[in-house]
Amino acid sequence: MLAVTYTAKSLSFLAAHANRGLRGAGRAVKALAVAIAHRREVMSLSELDDRGLKDIGLVRSDVEGALASSWLRDPSSVLAARSNQQQRSAAARREAGLRRASVNAASQNTAPQNTAKEPARPVVQVPAIPVACSA
């Protein structure tokens, strides 16, 4: 009886591992199929001109670099990572520019203003001279 229980447990253990292995292999095949489909889509991006690529936030080297990656790797994930990196650096540049602008505005507001006025010119009054008119 003990041998039967041991055998049954061993078989269920093997079945569970075989099932897990088959699911893992199925996920790998599916990931490879998705990577190949995305590779075709990225190849269609390489047909765009530089202006079209710039409209979607890419440059030609981004597309070429994604296509140069391994066939097992999804090139769209490479493009997404590069796009995220560019967005982060652009956001950092914007923040730095805003900080510089606020510092400049603050320094202009606290700088002593030149309030010195021109010296007043003396007012010269000319005495009235009586003019005789003969008519």
Side-chain angles (χ1 to χ4, degrees):
M1 188 64 157
L2 185 61
V4 173
T5 305
Y6 181 73
T7 306
K9 286 185 179 183
S10 299
L11 290 176
S12 66
F13 179 76
L14 289 175
H17 281 289
N19 190 13
R20 191 176 306 138
L22 288 175
R23 278 187 283 160
R27 281 193 297 264
V29 169
K30 183 179 177 183
L32 181 63
V34 168
I36 289 172
H38 286 177
R39 184 168 294 277
R40 285 188 194 136
E41 292 170 2
V42 171
M43 283 182 186
S44 69
L45 286 177
S46 67
E47 296 172 2
L48 292 174
D49 61 345
D50 290 339
R51 187 174 181 187
L53 288 173
K54 187 175 181 182
D55 285 344
I56 58 175
L58 296 173
V59 291
R60 186 149 316 274
S61 63
D62 291 339
V63 176
E64 291 170 355
L67 290 174
S69 65
S70 169
W71 276 89
L72 301 175
R73 186 166 183 199
D74 186 358
S76 63
S77 64
V78 175
L79 286 178
R82 289 186 183 182
S83 176
N84 290 337
Q85 180 184 12
Q86 289 173 355
Q87 288 176 357
R88 282 192 305 269
S89 65
R93 285 193 304 270
R94 280 192 302 271
E95 285 183 27
L98 289 173
R99 278 193 300 259
R100 277 194 305 271
S102 66
V103 167
N104 288 342
S107 67
Q108 288 176 356
N109 289 338
T110 59
Q113 299 289 327
N114 187 6
T115 57
K117 296 181 181 176
E118 290 185 20
R121 294 184 183 169
V123 178
V124 178
Q125 293 193 352
V126 179
I129 301 177
V131 178
C133 290
S134 60

